[in-house]
Amino acid sequence: MENNSNSMTHATHSATLADVLERILDKGVVIAGDIKIKLVDIELLTIQIRLLICSVDKAKEMGIDWWMTNSYLSSAANEQVENQELDVLRARIAHLEQDLARQPAAPS
């Protein structure tokens, strides 16, 4: 059998998409880039882009858990915000009731 120089070489080990995705989520991938716009050596705009792709477990392991306290992403955080608002309103009502109790009664 002749070895044709125009033939394609195939890898002996191939990974499926699921394997690649599992590895990315398990280990994590960081993509970073900077965009700078200059005009005559004067920097007009700088955009820094940092992207981290990993699993939730890996993010928590790295100390990243901002979605847990964001009221738009977490129902528990949303309940916490609502409870804080209710506590503030209750305190204001109690303060108003105390002020009313201190005022002298109007003559009838």
Side-chain angles (χ1 to χ4, degrees):
M1 184 174 200
E2 293 181 22
N3 188 3
N4 188 353
S5 62
N6 292 334
S7 66
M8 292 181 64
T9 305
H10 296 283
T12 57
H13 178 70
S14 64
T16 66
L17 180 60
D19 294 336
V20 173
L21 186 58
E22 181 181 352
R23 179 172 287 172
I24 287 173
L25 293 177
D26 184 45
K27 302 293 182 186
V29 172
V30 175
I31 300 171
D34 296 336
I35 300 170
K36 293 184 180 184
I37 299 175
K38 291 184 176 185
L39 180 64
V40 192
D41 290 333
I42 298 172
E43 191 170 310
L44 300 175
L45 178 66
T46 299
I47 300 173
Q48 294 182 332
I49 299 170
R50 306 293 182 258
L51 175 65
L52 170 66
I53 301 172
C54 65
S55 67
V56 171
D57 294 333
K58 185 68 175 178
K60 285 182 180 178
E61 184 180 312
M62 292 186 292
I64 302 170
D65 62 352
W66 52 265
W67 62 88
M68 302 284 287
T69 57
N70 188 320
S71 62
Y72 292 106
L73 300 175
S74 170
S75 60
N78 193 20
E79 288 175 12
Q80 184 179 8
V81 168
E82 289 175 356
N83 288 338
Q84 288 174 348
E85 290 174 352
L86 284 173
D87 290 341
V88 168
L89 290 174
R90 286 182 181 121
R92 289 178 66 187
I93 290 171
H95 181 71
L96 289 172
E97 287 174 344
Q98 288 175 357
D99 285 349
L100 281 174
R102 286 187 201 131
Q103 290 181 355
S108 44

PDB file of all heavy atoms in Angstrom, residues 60 65-85:
ATOM      1  N   LYS A  60     -17.400  27.690  43.657  1.00  0.00           N
ATOM      2  CA  LYS A  60     -17.498  27.784  45.115  1.00  0.00           C
ATOM      3  C   LYS A  60     -16.178  27.414  45.772  1.00  0.00           C
ATOM      4  O   LYS A  60     -15.774  28.019  46.761  1.00  0.00           O
ATOM      5  CB  LYS A  60     -18.614  26.875  45.635  1.00  0.00           C
ATOM      6  CG  LYS A  60     -19.999  27.412  45.379  1.00  0.00           C
ATOM      7  CD  LYS A  60     -21.030  26.469  45.970  1.00  0.00           C
ATOM      8  CE  LYS A  60     -22.423  26.966  45.734  1.00  0.00           C
ATOM      9  NZ  LYS A  60     -23.435  26.038  46.273  1.00  0.00           N
ATOM     10  N   ASP A  65     -19.012  33.077  44.726  1.00  0.00           N
ATOM     11  CA  ASP A  65     -20.401  32.673  44.947  1.00  0.00           C
ATOM     12  C   ASP A  65     -21.338  33.878  44.952  1.00  0.00           C
ATOM     13  O   ASP A  65     -22.311  33.920  45.685  1.00  0.00           O
ATOM     14  CB  ASP A  65     -20.537  31.879  46.237  1.00  0.00           C
ATOM     15  CG  ASP A  65     -20.156  32.694  47.460  1.00  0.00           C
ATOM     16  OD1 ASP A  65     -19.654  33.814  47.305  1.00  0.00           O
ATOM     17  OD2 ASP A  65     -20.373  32.205  48.575  1.00  0.00           O
ATOM     18  N   TRP A  66     -21.071  34.851  44.110  1.00  0.00           N
ATOM     19  CA  TRP A  66     -21.850  36.089  44.099  1.00  0.00           C
ATOM     20  C   TRP A  66     -23.312  35.862  43.727  1.00  0.00           C
ATOM     21  O   TRP A  66     -24.174  36.633  44.093  1.00  0.00           O
ATOM     22  CB  TRP A  66     -21.227  37.117  43.148  1.00  0.00           C
ATOM     23  CG  TRP A  66     -20.979  36.581  41.778  1.00  0.00           C
ATOM     24  CD1 TRP A  66     -19.814  36.059  41.312  1.00  0.00           C
ATOM     25  CD2 TRP A  66     -21.910  36.488  40.698  1.00  0.00           C
ATOM     26  NE1 TRP A  66     -19.962  35.640  40.020  1.00  0.00           N
ATOM     27  CE2 TRP A  66     -21.238  35.900  39.615  1.00  0.00           C
ATOM     28  CE3 TRP A  66     -23.245  36.839  40.546  1.00  0.00           C
ATOM     29  CZ2 TRP A  66     -21.858  35.661  38.397  1.00  0.00           C
ATOM     30  CZ3 TRP A  66     -23.854  36.606  39.332  1.00  0.00           C
ATOM     31  CH2 TRP A  66     -23.158  36.031  38.268  1.00  0.00           C
ATOM     32  N   TRP A  67     -23.623  34.821  43.022  1.00  0.00           N
ATOM     33  CA  TRP A  67     -25.010  34.565  42.630  1.00  0.00           C
ATOM     34  C   TRP A  67     -25.863  34.138  43.822  1.00  0.00           C
ATOM     35  O   TRP A  67     -27.070  34.218  43.771  1.00  0.00           O
ATOM     36  CB  TRP A  67     -25.069  33.494  41.537  1.00  0.00           C
ATOM     37  CG  TRP A  67     -24.535  32.180  41.965  1.00  0.00           C
ATOM     38  CD1 TRP A  67     -25.231  31.178  42.569  1.00  0.00           C
ATOM     39  CD2 TRP A  67     -23.198  31.730  41.868  1.00  0.00           C
ATOM     40  NE1 TRP A  67     -24.407  30.123  42.855  1.00  0.00           N
ATOM     41  CE2 TRP A  67     -23.139  30.437  42.421  1.00  0.00           C
ATOM     42  CE3 TRP A  67     -22.029  32.268  41.367  1.00  0.00           C
ATOM     43  CZ2 TRP A  67     -21.981  29.700  42.497  1.00  0.00           C
ATOM     44  CZ3 TRP A  67     -20.872  31.523  41.426  1.00  0.00           C
ATOM     45  CH2 TRP A  67     -20.852  30.271  41.988  1.00  0.00           C
ATOM     46  N   MET A  68     -25.213  33.718  44.909  1.00  0.00           N
ATOM     47  CA  MET A  68     -25.960  33.297  46.094  1.00  0.00           C
ATOM     48  C   MET A  68     -26.585  34.500  46.807  1.00  0.00           C
ATOM     49  O   MET A  68     -27.604  34.365  47.470  1.00  0.00           O
ATOM     50  CB  MET A  68     -25.035  32.562  47.069  1.00  0.00           C
ATOM     51  CG  MET A  68     -24.356  31.351  46.474  1.00  0.00           C
ATOM     52  SD  MET A  68     -25.414  29.944  46.315  1.00  0.00           S
ATOM     53  CE  MET A  68     -25.560  29.448  48.003  1.00  0.00           C
ATOM     54  N   THR A  69     -25.963  35.672  46.697  1.00  0.00           N
ATOM     55  CA  THR A  69     -26.450  36.858  47.397  1.00  0.00           C
ATOM     56  C   THR A  69     -27.109  37.862  46.459  1.00  0.00           C
ATOM     57  O   THR A  69     -27.569  38.897  46.912  1.00  0.00           O
ATOM     58  CB  THR A  69     -25.280  37.550  48.117  1.00  0.00           C
ATOM     59  OG1 THR A  69     -24.260  37.872  47.169  1.00  0.00           O
ATOM     60  CG2 THR A  69     -24.701  36.644  49.194  1.00  0.00           C
ATOM     61  N   ASN A  70     -27.179  37.569  45.184  1.00  0.00           N
ATOM     62  CA  ASN A  70     -27.807  38.458  44.223  1.00  0.00           C
ATOM     63  C   ASN A  70     -29.304  38.190  44.206  1.00  0.00           C
ATOM     64  O   ASN A  70     -29.745  37.084  43.887  1.00  0.00           O
ATOM     65  CB  ASN A  70     -27.197  38.238  42.835  1.00  0.00           C
ATOM     66  CG  ASN A  70     -27.661  39.257  41.831  1.00  0.00           C
ATOM     67  OD1 ASN A  70     -28.824  39.636  41.803  1.00  0.00           O
ATOM     68  ND2 ASN A  70     -26.758  39.696  40.990  1.00  0.00           N
ATOM     69  N   SER A  71     -30.093  39.210  44.533  1.00  0.00           N
ATOM     70  CA  SER A  71     -31.541  39.002  44.659  1.00  0.00           C
ATOM     71  C   SER A  71     -32.216  38.689  43.324  1.00  0.00           C
ATOM     72  O   SER A  71     -33.315  38.146  43.301  1.00  0.00           O
ATOM     73  CB  SER A  71     -32.192  40.229  45.285  1.00  0.00           C
ATOM     74  OG  SER A  71     -32.011  41.357  44.466  1.00  0.00           O
ATOM     75  N   TYR A  72     -31.579  39.006  42.216  1.00  0.00           N
ATOM     76  CA  TYR A  72     -32.163  38.687  40.916  1.00  0.00           C
ATOM     77  C   TYR A  72     -31.918  37.232  40.519  1.00  0.00           C
ATOM     78  O   TYR A  72     -32.612  36.694  39.676  1.00  0.00           O
ATOM     79  CB  TYR A  72     -31.586  39.605  39.830  1.00  0.00           C
ATOM     80  CG  TYR A  72     -32.026  41.028  39.989  1.00  0.00           C
ATOM     81  CD1 TYR A  72     -31.146  41.999  40.452  1.00  0.00           C
ATOM     82  CD2 TYR A  72     -33.329  41.410  39.700  1.00  0.00           C
ATOM     83  CE1 TYR A  72     -31.558  43.313  40.617  1.00  0.00           C
ATOM     84  CE2 TYR A  72     -33.751  42.716  39.862  1.00  0.00           C
ATOM     85  CZ  TYR A  72     -32.857  43.655  40.317  1.00  0.00           C
ATOM     86  OH  TYR A  72     -33.256  44.945  40.481  1.00  0.00           O
ATOM     87  N   LEU A  73     -30.916  36.596  41.133  1.00  0.00           N
ATOM     88  CA  LEU A  73     -30.561  35.235  40.753  1.00  0.00           C
ATOM     89  C   LEU A  73     -30.894  34.191  41.804  1.00  0.00           C
ATOM     90  O   LEU A  73     -30.880  33.007  41.516  1.00  0.00           O
ATOM     91  CB  LEU A  73     -29.060  35.168  40.444  1.00  0.00           C
ATOM     92  CG  LEU A  73     -28.582  36.063  39.313  1.00  0.00           C
ATOM     93  CD1 LEU A  73     -27.073  36.006  39.192  1.00  0.00           C
ATOM     94  CD2 LEU A  73     -29.232  35.657  38.001  1.00  0.00           C
ATOM     95  N   SER A  74     -31.179  34.619  43.023  1.00  0.00           N
ATOM     96  CA  SER A  74     -31.401  33.670  44.109  1.00  0.00           C
ATOM     97  C   SER A  74     -32.693  33.998  44.843  1.00  0.00           C
ATOM     98  O   SER A  74     -32.881  35.119  45.308  1.00  0.00           O
ATOM     99  CB  SER A  74     -30.219  33.721  45.085  1.00  0.00           C
ATOM    100  OG  SER A  74     -30.514  33.000  46.242  1.00  0.00           O
ATOM    101  N   SER A  75     -33.561  33.007  44.966  1.00  0.00           N
ATOM    102  CA  SER A  75     -34.811  33.251  45.689  1.00  0.00           C
ATOM    103  C   SER A  75     -34.539  33.464  47.172  1.00  0.00           C
ATOM    104  O   SER A  75     -35.234  34.236  47.827  1.00  0.00           O
ATOM    105  CB  SER A  75     -35.776  32.087  45.482  1.00  0.00           C
ATOM    106  OG  SER A  75     -35.200  30.880  45.967  1.00  0.00           O
ATOM    107  N   ALA A  76     -33.512  32.805  47.722  1.00  0.00           N
ATOM    108  CA  ALA A  76     -33.173  32.998  49.136  1.00  0.00           C
ATOM    109  C   ALA A  76     -32.692  34.419  49.382  1.00  0.00           C
ATOM    110  O   ALA A  76     -33.058  35.047  50.380  1.00  0.00           O
ATOM    111  CB  ALA A  76     -32.105  31.996  49.561  1.00  0.00           C
ATOM    112  N   ALA A  77     -31.883  34.953  48.470  1.00  0.00           N
ATOM    113  CA  ALA A  77     -31.407  36.329  48.607  1.00  0.00           C
ATOM    114  C   ALA A  77     -32.567  37.303  48.452  1.00  0.00           C
ATOM    115  O   ALA A  77     -32.625  38.322  49.140  1.00  0.00           O
ATOM    116  CB  ALA A  77     -30.323  36.622  47.582  1.00  0.00           C
ATOM    117  N   ASN A  78     -33.508  36.991  47.570  1.00  0.00           N
ATOM    118  CA  ASN A  78     -34.673  37.842  47.366  1.00  0.00           C
ATOM    119  C   ASN A  78     -35.517  37.886  48.640  1.00  0.00           C
ATOM    120  O   ASN A  78     -35.990  38.941  49.047  1.00  0.00           O
ATOM    121  CB  ASN A  78     -35.496  37.337  46.187  1.00  0.00           C
ATOM    122  CG  ASN A  78     -36.531  38.337  45.732  1.00  0.00           C
ATOM    123  OD1 ASN A  78     -36.419  39.522  46.012  1.00  0.00           O
ATOM    124  ND2 ASN A  78     -37.541  37.866  45.032  1.00  0.00           N
ATOM    125  N   GLU A  79     -35.692  36.744  49.280  1.00  0.00           N
ATOM    126  CA  GLU A  79     -36.446  36.696  50.545  1.00  0.00           C
ATOM    127  C   GLU A  79     -35.727  37.498  51.624  1.00  0.00           C
ATOM    128  O   GLU A  79     -36.363  38.173  52.437  1.00  0.00           O
ATOM    129  CB  GLU A  79     -36.622  35.248  50.996  1.00  0.00           C
ATOM    130  CG  GLU A  79     -37.599  34.460  50.162  1.00  0.00           C
ATOM    131  CD  GLU A  79     -37.660  32.995  50.569  1.00  0.00           C
ATOM    132  OE1 GLU A  79     -37.125  32.646  51.630  1.00  0.00           O
ATOM    133  OE2 GLU A  79     -38.234  32.208  49.806  1.00  0.00           O
ATOM    134  N   GLN A  80     -34.409  37.426  51.623  1.00  0.00           N
ATOM    135  CA  GLN A  80     -33.624  38.164  52.619  1.00  0.00           C
ATOM    136  C   GLN A  80     -33.819  39.667  52.438  1.00  0.00           C
ATOM    137  O   GLN A  80     -34.000  40.395  53.416  1.00  0.00           O
ATOM    138  CB  GLN A  80     -32.146  37.802  52.490  1.00  0.00           C
ATOM    139  CG  GLN A  80     -31.271  38.444  53.538  1.00  0.00           C
ATOM    140  CD  GLN A  80     -29.808  38.036  53.377  1.00  0.00           C
ATOM    141  OE1 GLN A  80     -29.430  37.399  52.406  1.00  0.00           O
ATOM    142  NE2 GLN A  80     -29.003  38.422  54.336  1.00  0.00           N
ATOM    143  N   VAL A  81     -33.814  40.136  51.191  1.00  0.00           N
ATOM    144  CA  VAL A  81     -34.032  41.563  50.916  1.00  0.00           C
ATOM    145  C   VAL A  81     -35.431  41.971  51.357  1.00  0.00           C
ATOM    146  O   VAL A  81     -35.614  43.015  51.994  1.00  0.00           O
ATOM    147  CB  VAL A  81     -33.818  41.864  49.412  1.00  0.00           C
ATOM    148  CG1 VAL A  81     -34.304  43.249  49.046  1.00  0.00           C
ATOM    149  CG2 VAL A  81     -32.344  41.704  49.044  1.00  0.00           C
ATOM    150  N   GLU A  82     -36.426  41.140  51.048  1.00  0.00           N
ATOM    151  CA  GLU A  82     -37.797  41.448  51.457  1.00  0.00           C
ATOM    152  C   GLU A  82     -37.930  41.485  52.973  1.00  0.00           C
ATOM    153  O   GLU A  82     -38.604  42.359  53.529  1.00  0.00           O
ATOM    154  CB  GLU A  82     -38.765  40.425  50.858  1.00  0.00           C
ATOM    155  CG  GLU A  82     -38.950  40.565  49.359  1.00  0.00           C
ATOM    156  CD  GLU A  82     -39.813  39.461  48.774  1.00  0.00           C
ATOM    157  OE1 GLU A  82     -40.211  38.541  49.520  1.00  0.00           O
ATOM    158  OE2 GLU A  82     -40.068  39.521  47.560  1.00  0.00           O
ATOM    159  N   ASN A  83     -37.285  40.557  53.665  1.00  0.00           N
ATOM    160  CA  ASN A  83     -37.333  40.535  55.129  1.00  0.00           C
ATOM    161  C   ASN A  83     -36.664  41.774  55.718  1.00  0.00           C
ATOM    162  O   ASN A  83     -37.138  42.325  56.714  1.00  0.00           O
ATOM    163  CB  ASN A  83     -36.682  39.269  55.672  1.00  0.00           C
ATOM    164  CG  ASN A  83     -37.532  38.038  55.426  1.00  0.00           C
ATOM    165  OD1 ASN A  83     -38.737  38.138  55.222  1.00  0.00           O
ATOM    166  ND2 ASN A  83     -36.903  36.879  55.420  1.00  0.00           N
ATOM    167  N   GLN A  84     -35.574  42.227  55.121  1.00  0.00           N
ATOM    168  CA  GLN A  84     -34.902  43.438  55.589  1.00  0.00           C
ATOM    169  C   GLN A  84     -35.810  44.651  55.409  1.00  0.00           C
ATOM    170  O   GLN A  84     -35.907  45.503  56.298  1.00  0.00           O
ATOM    171  CB  GLN A  84     -33.589  43.651  54.843  1.00  0.00           C
ATOM    172  CG  GLN A  84     -32.502  42.685  55.234  1.00  0.00           C
ATOM    173  CD  GLN A  84     -31.263  42.823  54.365  1.00  0.00           C
ATOM    174  OE1 GLN A  84     -31.275  43.476  53.324  1.00  0.00           O
ATOM    175  NE2 GLN A  84     -30.179  42.194  54.787  1.00  0.00           N
ATOM    176  N   GLU A  85     -36.501  44.718  54.261  1.00  0.00           N
ATOM    177  CA  GLU A  85     -37.428  45.823  54.024  1.00  0.00           C
ATOM    178  C   GLU A  85     -38.567  45.799  55.041  1.00  0.00           C
ATOM    179  O   GLU A  85     -38.972  46.849  55.550  1.00  0.00           O
ATOM    180  CB  GLU A  85     -37.973  45.764  52.597  1.00  0.00           C
ATOM    181  CG  GLU A  85     -36.942  46.091  51.534  1.00  0.00           C
ATOM    182  CD  GLU A  85     -37.472  45.876  50.120  1.00  0.00           C
ATOM    183  OE1 GLU A  85     -38.586  45.334  49.953  1.00  0.00           O
ATOM    184  OE2 GLU A  85     -36.756  46.273  49.185  1.00  0.00           O
TER     185      GLU A  85
END
